[in-house]
């Protein structure tokens, strides 16, 4: 079986990948990356073509019937070099807000749409996304245990 960890090379994603590999060694863990590392696939959540190509790549590697057991999105953008966290309503930059919505909302929807046909049908399908607030521990909703 296969797990796809989007953002698996970032801090949270890397920790999740390590835990999955430790606790479920039979699971093939794919991470999104553009650097060509082993067990990575190229994936840009801002591009329909990239997300569809990544889904097709997963299907070619593992087949549609074996499919995915787990898909987790660990991507996130709190701020960039030019845009810091907003401290007040006056600090909101509409274009930066648009980029955030594109990545965090539409990007996840693109991914779910493309990979949902490969999710194993006998497994309860739930969307799991880390809920993170600066300075707080990571929580997952719905609560879950590693596979």
């Amino acid at each position: 079986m296969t797990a796809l960890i989007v953002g698996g090379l970032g801090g949270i994603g890397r920790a999740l990948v390590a835990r999955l590999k430790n606790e479920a060694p039979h699971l093939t863990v794919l991470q999104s990356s553009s650097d060509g590392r082993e067990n990575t696939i190229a994936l840009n959540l801002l591009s329909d073509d990239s997300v569809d190509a990544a889904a097709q790549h997963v299907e070619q590697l593992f087949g549609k019937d074996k499919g995915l057991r787990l898909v987790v999105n660990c991507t996130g953008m709190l701020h960039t070099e030019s845009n810091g966290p907003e401290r007040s309503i006056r600090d909101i930059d509409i274009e930066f807000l648009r980029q955030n919505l594109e990545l965090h909302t539409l990007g996840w929807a693109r991914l779910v749409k493309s990979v949902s046909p490969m999710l194993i049908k006998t497994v309860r399908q739930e969307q799991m996304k880390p809920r993170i607030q600066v300075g707080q521990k990571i929580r997952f909703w719905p609560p879950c245990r590693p596979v």
Side-chain angles (χ1 to χ4, degrees), residues 77 83 86 88-102:
M77 178 176 61
N83 292 91
E86 297 86 359
S88 74
I89 296 293
R90 290 183 299 270
D91 294 338
I92 293 175
D93 178 322
I94 296 300
E95 187 54 38
F96 184 62
L97 178 61
R98 190 181 328 259
Q99 291 171 2
N100 268 280
L101 290 172
E102 177 75 21

Side-chain angles (χ1 to χ4, degrees), residues 63-77:
K64 195 168 191 172
D65 296 334
K66 293 182 182 175
L68 294 169
R69 165 86 176 166
L70 178 68
V71 178
V72 182
N73 182 12
C74 293
T75 60
M77 178 176 61

Side-chain angles (χ1 to χ4, degrees), residues 103-139:
L103 175 65
H104 297 122
T105 305
L106 299 178
W108 182 237
R110 277 185 192 96
L111 182 66
V112 169
K113 178 183 174 187
S114 290
V115 301
S116 61
M118 288 180 281
L119 286 169
I120 297 171
K121 303 300 184 228
T122 58
V123 175
R124 186 173 158 197
Q125 296 180 18
E126 296 178 354
Q127 290 186 8
M128 184 177 85
K129 179 158 176 68
R131 305 283 187 210
I132 303 167
Q133 294 179 347
V134 177
Q136 294 186 350
K137 292 183 178 180
I138 300 168
R139 299 172 304 177

Side-chain angles (χ1 to χ4, degrees), residues 9-24:
L9 296 177
I12 295 167
R14 191 172 38 246
L16 180 59
V17 167
R19 185 167 178 181
L20 283 171
K21 286 181 177 179
N22 183 48
E23 295 187 16

Side-chain angles (χ1 to χ4, degrees), residues 45-61:
L45 289 177
L46 300 176
S47 164
D48 289 334
D49 292 339
S50 175
V51 172
D52 290 341
Q56 289 174 0
H57 184 71
V58 170
E59 186 176 334
Q60 289 171 355
L61 286 174

